[in-house]
Amino acid sequence: MSPKITTELLKQLRQVMKNPKYVQEPVQAYIVPSGDAHQSEYIAPCDCRRAFISGFDGSAGTAIVTEQHAAMWTDGRYFLQAAHQMDNNWTLMKMGLKDTPTQEDWLVSVLPEGSKVGVDPFIIPADQWKRMSKALRSAGHDLVPVKENLIDTIWTDCPQRPCKPLITLDLSYTGVSWRDKIIALRSKMAERKVLWFVVTALDEVAWLFNLRGSDVEYNPVFFAYAVIGMNTIRLFIDGERMMDPAVREHLQLDSTLEPEFKIQVMPYGSILSELQAVGAGLSPKEKVWLSDKASYALSEAIPKAHRYLTPYTPICIVKAVKNTSETEGMRRAHVKDAVALCELFNWLEKEVVPKGTVTEIIAADKAEEFRSQQKDFVELSFATISSTGPNGAIIHYKPVPETNRTLSVNEIYLLDSGAQYKDGTTDVTRTMHFGTPSAYEKECFTYVLKGHIAVSAAIFPNGTKGHLLDSFARSALWDCGLDYLHGTGHGVGSFLNVHEGPCGISYKTFADEPLEAGMIVSDEPGYYEDGSFGIRIENVVLVIPAETKYNFKNRGSLTFEPLTLVPIQTKMIDVNLLTQKECNWVNDYHQKCREVIGAELERQGRHEALRWLIRETEPLIRMQ
Amino acid sequence: MSPKITTELLKQLRQVMKNPKYVQEPVQAYIVPSGDAHQSEYIAPCDCRRAFISGFDGSAGTAIVTEQHAAMWTDGRYFLQAAHQMDNNWTLMKMGLKDTPTQEDWLVSVLPEGSKVGVDPFIIPADQWKRMSKALRSAGHDLVPVKENLIDTIWTDCPQRPCKPLITLDLSYTGVSWRDKIIALRSKMAERKVLWFVVTALDEVAWLFNLRGSDVEYNPVFFAYAVIGMNTIRLFIDGERMMDPAVREHLQLDSTLEPEFKIQVMPYGSILSELQAVGAGLSPKEKVWLSDKASYALSEAIPKAHRYLTPYTPICIVKAVKNTSETEGMRRAHVKDAVALCELFNWLEKEVVPKGTVTEIIAADKAEEFRSQQKDFVELSFATISSTGPNGAIIHYKPVPETNRTLSVNEIYLLDSGAQYKDGTTDVTRTMHFGTPSAYEKECFTYVLKGHIAVSAAIFPNGTKGHLLDSFARSALWDCGLDYLHGTGHGVGSFLNVHEGPCGISYKTFADEPLEAGMIVSDEPGYYEDGSFGIRIENVVLVIPAETKYNFKNRGSLTFEPLTLVPIQTKMIDVNLLTQKECNWVNDYHQKCREVIGAELERQGRHEALRWLIRETEPLIRMQ
């Protein structure tokens, strides 16, 4: 992978930073955040402004360009990738390391007195604006909104914003109609005494209306906003897709409805002016509810006294707790996904060992091919991480021709992949060796497995926040001086974004919402040795009630049920490092894989993959 | 314990809340925080205003009185005690439970429109003022400073502010002279480009000048402030104690010194006006450093643009990392403390079992008696928690004649106690049974012990924050549906406050500073069954470097070394619930108690206690 040469682009950007056509006054620094106007993690090509200016295309990162410097903040998952993709014009700021300055501190240290720092007000979330604006102001600088996006002004071949057809989801998938979701939302609004709720996150719009799209790769969402009043529903969305009879029928656009359920469809681009009109028409004490991650521009459309900002919206919290239709759908999706992976791993064993002709890209394509054979397959849920040997240490690696390695019997292979099915979203990582792993590789793998089990089998009180479980995943690694520089788990949507809030398992956050039965998260500890190998073991797990011997203060307890049912390679396990309890966990898990996935492989007539599954799920035996 | 009758007092308070002599405009609510003007946790009798108005005298709690209501917020340690000590005028707000409103939310829900909420600006920390003021303002109310403390106006027999003699500590105790501490502080100030630092916490003043006092029971501090400039040192302190030749010599008050080390002694009461003068004399960009927990009154003395507020002061962070003289002192103090407890437990066994004449108060007094026989004993480090049977479930119980139970062979006895020695501060909890514990009691005790060991033996990367270790202490309890409603550990001072920041081990905080070698914290999981018993096992532990097999990113690892060396009653342990590793930990710990404390008991000629120690440290044997 050679870095993008950005010298000329940075020169152009520095020119427009002073160009009165775009800025009222010259800005001495310009911030290019990761997200789009909806603060999405995964974004459409037209929104990949940070990647355009820097070359670094990982899913998280913020670029800041000043007259002298260009710096990129990203987290541990992307240190290697960012270093590879960016040229010498850029300084990599490794977030989470002790000596790395915050963006604010760095700006203060490099800017001349009384500087202006520009940012697109549609891209920066309101809470970040507030924090950064305050820090800059207290150092004598100013954060200023630059209406026209300065990257767009120099991005001559910027792609069009996508506007693809919609998919309607019926009750068998969603469990709740959009009408009932609106009713529930309005009752939450009434509880908080707000009159309006502004839906800005793309997955929240999709969830609320039981619609899906494909405007953003991997995430089945579409560009739209919604503004829900106590008696009105406004959906801001572009394109012919609203002419689709199935969509019109689904949204009952042509039916005679009670007025409070009548959806007014408006142009996507009119959200700001419509919201300003709402803001201008409010009586004293009337409030409008927005996420504090909504863009600064939309947040400012509502006068401050009328703004009701929360870190998590009511939709975000309800969406995270899956209902029975959704969990059953997720179960089905994971069974199909496991079938595809059994086929893949069986195929890999046959191809890699004798022939040595399978590359990372071929393996990734083959995984997609097997998945696409399954019912209700829509697309992948993220770019497949198919990595062997040293590439495995690049945590969010994606094989490209320049880096593409051939799988061999000498290196560890790490596959982190998932798909969108109409009934659910999957995300699974398995780490395999097709030859004979070294004692050290097995040792590291076993520590990671112990961490995976420690989280998966954890029992914890109702109301526990996920971040309190993060250390369980690390304890075995810590004991021998090892660790990994990413969180342990993220929320997973139901045929929606593979990363969703408000829950997760990470040392990095304190603002996660308590875990509840019905939430779905990933459990994915790892260990990475730069230049050598990467190990990660990831299941998607469902939060379920746990039976315990006692019940302190009648709080009840929770635990996890793995939805992912794909064998964990026993060849990589040093059984002597497992406790009897851990050994039993692996055997029980493999027994369930055999039963559930075995039955489905049988049903689909995939006999060779079934034999692979049976072989891979032989019980471990631990010597005392 | 009968509750304090507060009807008349509340009536008087509500009158002064409207009295123009004290308030410019009537206040509809008045907040009575826990602390004093230094935001101390332990306070002098004259500062016990919240206890005076409500009857509840636990170490943490905030009272709010409105025209109609009186409510008290406190945490899980004090739910039972507060409920016992307060009459029906008061509503107990159980912090940490899901349905308990915050003070702000509650105020907003009960206050009439446009209310004024009063508070003493010297008592409320600046950060709390800010948060509360903002929340109230956004609901249309006002937080207003009431200069004269309204409790003081109705507290006719309020005791005098204490002003006791000082103790000077030489280098053999402190390791660093006050002069060198000032030099180090000024270099931190220069790093942050601040010209002044205001020392408001009493333990920080004491630590900085290597002085100790006894103005506050249990905490060897004295009422004082300090303002440190780059060339000046001002100490605000009252009384004849500054006439003591030892103190004058220690502070070199009568020597010819370089002017930047010359200490100007000023009256305690002049801090506000002096600070206002400092604030008024600042040039643009000149900054004054204060803790954001400093009082609103002092914080406001510095114009906002000149204020540099941080959650932890440089003194707080340096003070937490003990130097060799301090850790050696802490070790000596813990050896002496263990000798006293071996004597006590031996004595209890002789008295309780055959005679049954020992009450909680007698046991507490006896513990103090044995401690006072040890070299350099100064006082207790907190009110001894000597509790048997159901009293043990009151987490911060202190025996009083009305509640005093007799120790028996039928109930669990919990003793949480500690002392101030000139060389260190101790804090230890042991839970004992003098008869035959039930299987259930042993089971619960063993889960608590497993949690204690999980923290004490944990190995974790350098830079880990203590809150990430909290769940280790709970895991064994969680597994069977149990838990405890308090944090797992707090920082411990070196002949200073038994609770100190900035580190600790608790699920409740995210703002703790990373653990470093040399820091000292407690490790004290527990289990409490209301109405039945309480179990807690507490050691004070020192953070030390850990040897590990590998060393990821060269970060280095840490672990804990127990400073407390007092046997953990093996009779209470269900050995079959321990892993072999846990069993070895107990045996190794007891071996060390035998060696270190045994030698000291021998040296002090305490042969009977030595025999008790030998008996109590017999190795556990675990059946496979």
Side-chain angles (χ1 to χ4, degrees):
Chain A
M1 201 176 343
S2 54
K4 174 163 183 170
I5 304 304
T6 59
T7 310
E8 185 52 34
L9 283 177
L10 287 170
K11 201 176 137 195
Q12 289 173 19
L13 177 59
R14 285 171 179 138
Q15 273 159 1
V16 294
M17 283 163 60
K18 295 181 280 199
N19 186 337
K21 193 172 151 195
Y22 305 117
V23 290
Q24 289 191 301
E25 280 185 88
V27 297
Q28 283 71 45
Y30 187 67
I31 304 175
V32 187
S34 218
D36 58 15
H38 306 269
Q39 286 64 53
S40 308
E41 184 189 2
Y42 288 76
I43 52 181
C46 59
D47 288 319
C48 294
R49 300 180 182 96
R50 185 248 303 150
F52 168 77
I53 190 68
S54 71
F56 167 54
D57 66 1
S59 74
T62 299
I64 304 186
V65 176
T66 68
E67 283 155 341
Q68 307 289 336
H69 306 273
M72 174 70 66
W73 280 256
T74 190
D75 63 61
R77 295 173 300 174
Y78 292 116
F79 292 169
L80 286 178
Q81 179 179 333
H84 284 153
Q85 293 184 323
M86 298 193 305
D87 69 8
N88 286 336
N89 288 301
W90 291 85
T91 306
L92 177 58
M93 297 293 187
K94 299 183 173 183
M95 289 164 69
L97 301 195
K98 211 179 162 182
D99 294 332
T100 305
T102 63
Q103 292 161 25
E104 296 89 326
D105 286 349
W106 180 80
L107 278 168
V108 170
S109 73
V110 302
L111 287 178
E113 266 182 53
S115 288
K116 306 242 175 266
V117 178
V119 69
D120 180 341
F122 263 98
I123 306 293
I124 188 167
D127 61 341
Q128 271 180 39
W129 171 284
K130 196 173 159 188
R131 198 174 54 241
M132 183 156 276
S133 167
K134 192 177 160 190
L136 291 175
R137 202 166 43 241
S138 81
H141 308 295
D142 258 330
L143 186 63
V144 297
V146 179
K147 268 192 195 159
E148 189 134 8
N149 190 293
L150 295 186
I151 301 295
D152 294 355
T153 66
I154 60 169
W155 193 354
T156 46
D157 56 348
C158 178
Q160 280 258 304
R161 184 160 302 279
C163 191
K164 307 249 183 74
L166 303 181
I167 302 170
T168 62
L169 289 184
D170 66 32
L171 270 184
S172 69
Y173 293 105
T174 65
V176 181
S177 67
W178 65 259
R179 203 187 147 105
D180 285 343
K181 287 179 178 179
I182 295 275
I183 292 171
L185 175 61
R186 285 183 176 143
S187 107
K188 289 271 172 201
M189 288 161 60
E191 250 175 45
R192 305 290 185 101
K193 298 180 185 151
V194 299
L195 281 190
W196 300 89
F197 175 70
V198 186
V199 197
T200 53
L202 298 184
D203 63 335
E204 296 190 11
V205 180
W207 178 89
L208 181 61
F209 292 103
N210 291 334
L211 289 171
R212 297 295 186 270
S214 51
D215 288 356
V216 177
E217 198 180 7
Y218 308 125
N219 290 173
V221 297
F222 49 93
F223 285 102
Y225 293 99
V227 176
I228 312 300
M230 295 312 276
N231 297 302
T232 54
I233 304 173
R234 293 181 198 161
L235 178 59
F236 298 80
I237 185 167
D238 278 346
E240 290 182 11
R241 50 197 177 184
M242 297 309 285
M243 293 299 109
D244 177 343
V247 172
R248 298 196 71 81
E249 165 72 26
H250 175 83
L251 295 178
Q252 298 180 263
L253 293 181
D254 307 309
S255 321
T256 339
L257 267 180
E258 307 97 300
E260 67 266 34
F261 295 108
K262 192 86 195 153
I263 298 175
Q264 304 165 51
V265 178
M266 298 179 152
Y268 177 71
S270 68
I271 176 73
L272 184 61
S273 55
E274 286 294 329
L275 208 53
Q276 282 165 338
V278 165
L282 295 167
S283 307
K285 297 219 158 193
E286 288 184 351
K287 299 266 182 188
V288 178
W289 195 344
L290 291 128
S291 161
D292 66 4
K293 272 141 217 96
S295 68
Y296 174 72
L298 292 192
S299 177
E300 286 295 299
I302 305 301
K304 198 171 171 188
H306 297 281
R307 249 178 262 157
Y308 181 74
L309 301 182
T310 58
Y312 297 114
T313 70
I315 293 185
C316 176
I317 292 169
V318 174
K319 176 166 62 65
V321 181
K322 274 70 179 174
N323 61 41
T324 317
S325 306
E326 290 169 324
T327 51
E328 284 315 307
M330 285 294 267
R331 267 183 232 282
R332 285 195 307 274
H334 279 83
V335 169
K336 293 183 284 190
D337 212 55
V339 164
L341 285 185
C342 288
E343 282 282 15
L344 174 76
F345 291 134
N346 174 54
W347 180 85
L348 282 177
E349 274 190 12
K350 282 191 310 178
E351 297 292 315
V352 171
V353 181
K355 302 185 197 154
T357 53
V358 181
T359 64
E360 293 166 344
I361 292 178
I362 292 174
D365 290 346
K366 200 74 188 173
E368 181 164 3
E369 180 190 323
F370 283 122
R371 282 190 163 107
S372 68
Q373 295 166 1
Q374 295 298 315
K375 185 168 172 253
D376 276 347
F377 171 85
V378 178
E379 60 170 337
L380 299 185
S381 58
F382 57 97
T384 298
I385 300 171
S386 170
S387 57
T388 189
N391 287 342
I394 303 173
I395 298 179
H396 272 204
Y397 174 79
K398 181 189 164 182
V400 289
E402 299 88 314
T403 63
N404 194 19
R405 285 175 81 87
T406 303
L407 277 62
S408 86
V409 293
N410 302 315
E411 289 184 341
I412 289 181
Y413 176 63
L414 184 158
L415 179 75
D416 185 352
S417 60
Q420 299 289 359
Y421 301 90
K422 247 183 110 172
D423 40 12
T425 302
T426 66
D427 180 0
V428 46
T429 309
R430 287 296 179 268
T431 305
M432 327 269 294
H433 203 294
F434 298 107
T436 307
S438 72
Y440 177 60
E441 288 166 340
K442 287 174 68 173
E443 184 186 355
C444 295
F445 183 93
T446 309
Y447 296 145
V448 173
L449 176 61
K450 287 166 83 81
H452 179 92
I453 297 171
V455 169
S456 195
I459 294 173
F460 48 92
N462 237 319
T464 300
K465 292 182 171 194
H467 72 263
L468 292 171
L469 308 180
D470 183 77
S471 298
F472 290 156
R474 298 175 201 274
S475 179
L477 287 162
W478 283 357
D479 275 347
C480 45
L482 303 180
D483 197 5
Y484 53 96
L485 297 181
H486 60 73
T488 301
H490 53 81
V492 179
S494 180
F495 184 30
L496 258 181
N497 295 357
V498 71
H499 294 166
E500 71 169 26
C503 56
I505 302 174
S506 174
Y507 63 98
K508 281 182 285 192
T509 176
F510 202 52
D512 50 333
E513 285 288 306
L515 293 171
E516 277 182 56
M519 285 179 167
I520 292 179
V521 294
S522 69
D523 169 14
E524 48 178 315
Y527 176 66
Y528 310 91
E529 202 144 296
D530 289 354
S532 303
F533 63 82
I535 292 167
R536 184 159 65 251
I537 303 171
E538 175 186 24
N539 282 350
V540 168
V541 297
L542 171 67
V543 182
I544 57 168
E547 289 296 320
T548 52
K549 190 168 174 188
Y550 307 111
N551 187 6
F552 180 65
K553 305 255 178 214
N554 275 315
R555 282 193 299 179
S557 293
L558 299 171
T559 187
F560 297 110
E561 177 199 331
L563 296 179
T564 305
L565 292 173
V566 176
I568 294 164
Q569 197 179 39
T570 50
K571 187 202 279 186
M572 285 291 290
I573 301 174
D574 181 345
V575 185
N576 298 315
L577 294 177
L578 295 184
T579 63
Q580 190 57 54
K581 236 170 122 179
E582 289 163 341
C583 194
N584 295 345
W585 185 94
V586 173
N587 290 340
D588 292 347
Y589 179 72
H590 279 159
Q591 181 59 31
K592 192 165 174 198
C593 292
R594 251 192 208 189
E595 285 168 16
V596 178
I597 308 307
E600 181 65 14
L601 284 167
E602 184 75 54
R603 206 187 61 76
Q604 295 192 18
R606 297 175 183 268
H607 300 297
E608 203 179 301
L610 176 57
R611 281 193 298 278
W612 179 88
L613 171 70
I614 302 286
R615 211 167 56 237
E616 286 293 306
T617 51
E618 278 299 317
L620 292 175
I621 296 161
R622 185 169 162 272
M623 304 297 159
Q624 280 292 348
Chain B
M1 201 179 339
S2 53
K4 174 164 183 170
I5 304 303
T6 59
T7 311
E8 184 53 35
L9 282 178
L10 287 171
K11 200 173 139 198
Q12 289 173 18
L13 177 59
R14 285 169 179 140
Q15 274 161 1
V16 293
M17 282 162 61
K18 296 182 279 200
N19 186 335
K21 194 172 150 194
Y22 305 116
V23 288
Q24 287 189 305
E25 280 186 88
V27 296
Q28 284 71 43
Y30 188 67
I31 305 175
V32 188
S34 218
D36 57 16
H38 305 269
Q39 285 66 53
S40 309
E41 182 187 2
Y42 288 76
I43 52 182
C46 59
D47 287 319
C48 295
R49 300 179 180 98
R50 184 248 303 150
F52 169 77
I53 190 69
S54 70
F56 166 54
D57 66 2
S59 73
T62 300
I64 304 185
V65 176
T66 68
E67 283 155 343
Q68 307 288 339
H69 306 273
M72 175 70 66
W73 281 258
T74 190
D75 64 61
R77 295 173 299 176
Y78 292 116
F79 291 168
L80 286 177
Q81 178 180 334
H84 284 155
Q85 292 184 324
M86 299 191 304
D87 70 9
N88 287 337
N89 288 302
W90 290 85
T91 306
L92 177 58
M93 298 293 186
K94 297 181 175 185
M95 289 164 70
L97 300 195
K98 211 180 160 181
D99 295 331
T100 304
T102 63
Q103 292 161 27
E104 295 89 328
D105 286 349
W106 180 80
L107 278 168
V108 169
S109 74
V110 303
L111 287 179
E113 268 181 52
S115 287
K116 305 240 175 271
V117 178
V119 67
D120 180 341
F122 262 99
I123 306 293
I124 189 167
D127 61 340
Q128 272 181 38
W129 171 283
K130 196 175 159 187
R131 197 174 54 244
M132 184 158 272
S133 167
K134 191 178 160 188
L136 291 175
R137 201 168 44 239
S138 82
H141 308 296
D142 258 330
L143 186 63
V144 296
V146 180
K147 267 192 194 158
E148 187 134 7
N149 191 293
L150 295 186
I151 301 296
D152 293 355
T153 65
I154 61 170
W155 193 354
T156 46
D157 55 350
C158 176
Q160 280 260 301
R161 184 161 302 278
C163 191
K164 307 251 184 74
L166 303 181
I167 302 171
T168 61
L169 289 184
D170 65 35
L171 270 185
S172 68
Y173 292 105
T174 64
V176 181
S177 68
W178 65 259
R179 200 187 150 107
D180 285 342
K181 288 180 177 179
I182 295 275
I183 292 170
L185 175 60
R186 284 183 178 147
S187 106
K188 290 268 173 205
M189 290 160 60
E191 251 174 48
R192 306 288 186 105
K193 298 179 185 149
V194 299
L195 281 188
W196 300 89
F197 176 71
V198 186
V199 198
T200 54
L202 297 184
D203 62 336
E204 296 190 12
V205 180
W207 179 87
L208 182 61
F209 292 103
N210 292 333
L211 289 171
R212 297 296 185 267
S214 51
D215 288 356
V216 177
E217 200 180 7
Y218 308 126
N219 289 172
V221 296
F222 50 92
F223 285 102
Y225 292 100
V227 176
I228 312 300
M230 294 311 276
N231 297 300
T232 54
I233 304 172
R234 294 182 197 159
L235 178 60
F236 298 81
I237 185 169
D238 278 346
E240 290 181 12
R241 48 197 177 182
M242 297 309 285
M243 294 297 110
D244 177 343
V247 173
R248 299 194 72 80
E249 166 70 26
H250 175 82
L251 296 178
Q252 298 180 264
L253 293 181
D254 307 309
S255 321
T256 339
L257 268 182
E258 306 95 300
E260 68 266 33
F261 295 110
K262 190 84 199 159
I263 298 174
Q264 304 165 50
V265 177
M266 300 180 147
Y268 177 71
S270 67
I271 177 71
L272 184 60
S273 54
E274 287 293 328
L275 207 53
Q276 282 164 337
V278 165
L282 294 168
S283 308
K285 299 221 156 191
E286 289 184 349
K287 298 266 183 188
V288 178
W289 196 344
L290 290 126
S291 163
D292 66 5
K293 272 138 216 98
S295 69
Y296 174 72
L298 292 194
S299 178
E300 286 295 299
I302 304 299
K304 198 172 172 190
H306 297 280
R307 252 179 257 157
Y308 181 75
L309 302 182
T310 58
Y312 298 113
T313 70
I315 293 185
C316 174
I317 291 171
V318 174
K319 173 164 67 62
V321 181
K322 275 67 178 174
N323 60 42
T324 317
S325 306
E326 289 169 324
T327 50
E328 285 314 306
M330 287 293 268
R331 268 184 230 281
R332 285 196 305 274
H334 280 82
V335 170
K336 293 183 285 191
D337 212 54
V339 164
L341 285 186
C342 289
E343 282 282 15
L344 174 76
F345 291 134
N346 174 54
W347 180 85
L348 283 177
E349 275 190 11
K350 283 190 312 181
E351 296 292 314
V352 171
V353 182
K355 302 185 197 155
T357 52
V358 181
T359 64
E360 294 165 343
I361 293 177
I362 291 173
D365 290 347
K366 199 74 188 176
E368 181 164 3
E369 182 190 322
F370 282 123
R371 282 189 163 106
S372 69
Q373 294 165 3
Q374 295 298 314
K375 186 167 172 252
D376 276 346
F377 171 85
V378 178
E379 59 170 336
L380 298 184
S381 58
F382 57 96
T384 297
I385 300 171
S386 169
S387 56
T388 189
N391 288 343
I394 303 172
I395 298 179
H396 271 204
Y397 174 79
K398 181 191 163 180
V400 289
E402 299 88 317
T403 62
N404 194 19
R405 286 175 81 87
T406 301
L407 277 61
S408 87
V409 294
N410 302 316
E411 288 183 341
I412 288 181
Y413 176 62
L414 184 159
L415 178 75
D416 184 352
S417 62
Q420 300 287 1
Y421 302 90
K422 248 182 109 173
D423 40 12
T425 302
T426 67
D427 180 359
V428 45
T429 310
R430 286 297 178 268
T431 305
M432 327 271 292
H433 203 294
F434 298 107
T436 306
S438 72
Y440 178 60
E441 289 166 337
K442 287 173 69 174
E443 185 186 355
C444 295
F445 183 92
T446 308
Y447 296 145
V448 173
L449 175 61
K450 286 167 85 80
H452 178 91
I453 296 171
V455 169
S456 195
I459 294 174
F460 48 91
N462 237 321
T464 300
K465 292 182 170 194
H467 72 263
L468 292 171
L469 307 179
D470 185 76
S471 298
F472 290 155
R474 298 176 199 274
S475 180
L477 288 160
W478 282 357
D479 276 346
C480 44
L482 303 179
D483 198 5
Y484 54 95
L485 299 179
H486 60 72
T488 300
H490 52 80
V492 179
S494 178
F495 183 29
L496 258 181
N497 294 359
V498 73
H499 294 166
E500 70 168 25
C503 57
I505 302 174
S506 174
Y507 63 98
K508 280 182 285 190
T509 175
F510 203 53
D512 51 333
E513 285 288 306
L515 293 171
E516 278 182 57
M519 285 179 165
I520 292 179
V521 296
S522 69
D523 169 15
E524 47 179 316
Y527 176 67
Y528 311 91
E529 202 145 296
D530 289 354
S532 301
F533 62 81
I535 291 167
R536 186 160 62 251
I537 304 173
E538 176 187 24
N539 282 350
V540 168
V541 295
L542 171 67
V543 182
I544 57 168
E547 289 297 320
T548 53
K549 191 168 172 188
Y550 307 113
N551 187 6
F552 180 64
K553 305 255 179 214
N554 275 315
R555 283 195 299 182
S557 294
L558 299 171
T559 187
F560 297 111
E561 177 199 329
L563 296 178
T564 305
L565 292 172
V566 177
I568 294 164
Q569 198 179 39
T570 51
K571 186 203 279 185
M572 286 291 290
I573 301 174
D574 181 343
V575 185
N576 299 315
L577 295 177
L578 295 185
T579 64
Q580 189 57 52
K581 233 169 123 180
E582 290 163 342
C583 195
N584 294 346
W585 185 94
V586 173
N587 289 342
D588 292 348
Y589 178 73
H590 278 158
Q591 181 60 28
K592 191 166 174 194
C593 293
R594 248 192 209 187
E595 284 169 15
V596 178
I597 309 307
E600 181 66 15
L601 284 167
E602 183 75 55
R603 206 188 59 76
Q604 294 193 16
R606 297 174 182 272
H607 300 295
E608 204 179 300
L610 176 58
R611 281 193 296 278
W612 178 88
L613 172 70
I614 301 286
R615 212 166 56 236
E616 286 294 305
T617 51
E618 278 300 318
L620 293 175
I621 297 162
R622 184 169 162 270
M623 302 300 159
Q624 282 292 351

